[in-house]
């Protein structure tokens, strides 16, 4: 089940809902991207908070990032590729290559510090992926 705030990402902000195939095509378009892995918003209460913050992050980064929401039925398979496993999560990519993730809800300052670090970092596999999860 999705929440109204997640639906708003699509309806009001134009973020595509991505399944396995469309996620691959979305990432293949290149550039810097973020995928939102929501998990079950009933189980992960922070999901709605991240859904509210994501459009603000996109504005803060001045159009630098393309964003999509991963369909719940595709999350498990896509997550197995990247291995962060915690929900909600924002997973970052450059030219289709996984860079790292920020999991759970974070303070605004954490996002503003960590996202540029992740985007400037190496592709996962070249070094351990950058991941941030507060205690």
């Amino acid at each position: 089940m999705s929440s109204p705030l997640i639906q708003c990402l699509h309806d009001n902000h134009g973020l595509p809902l991505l399944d396995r195939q469309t996620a691959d095509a979305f990432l293949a378009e290149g550039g810097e991207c973020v995928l939102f892995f929501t998990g079950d918003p009933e189980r992960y209460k922070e999901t709605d908070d991240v859904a509210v913050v994501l459009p603000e992050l996109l504005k803060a980064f001045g159009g630098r990032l393309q964003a999509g929401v991963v369909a719940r039925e595709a999350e498990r398979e896509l997550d197995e590729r990247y291995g962060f496993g915690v929900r909600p999560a924002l997973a970052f990519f450059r030219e289709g290559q996984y860079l790292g993730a920020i999991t759970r809800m974070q303070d605004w300052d954490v996002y503003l510090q960590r996202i540029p670090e992740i985007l400037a970092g190496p592709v996962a596999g070249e070094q351990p992926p950058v991941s941030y999860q507060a205690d």
Side-chain angles (χ1 to χ4, degrees), residues 9 14-15 17 55 57 64 66 70 80-81 94 121:
L9 292 174
L15 274 60
L17 182 63
L57 288 170
R64 179 178 177 183
Q66 299 301 314
V70 177
E80 287 177 1
R81 293 182 193 175
R94 182 177 56 242

Side-chain angles (χ1 to χ4, degrees), residues 53-83:
V53 167
L54 181 55
E56 298 305 316
L57 288 170
L58 297 175
K59 287 180 199 172
F61 284 89
R64 179 178 177 183
L65 293 166
Q66 299 301 314
V69 179
V70 177
R72 294 268 318 281
E73 59 273 5
E75 283 187 335
R76 182 178 303 252
E77 182 176 340
L78 290 173
D79 182 31
E80 287 177 1
R81 293 182 193 175
Y82 312 119

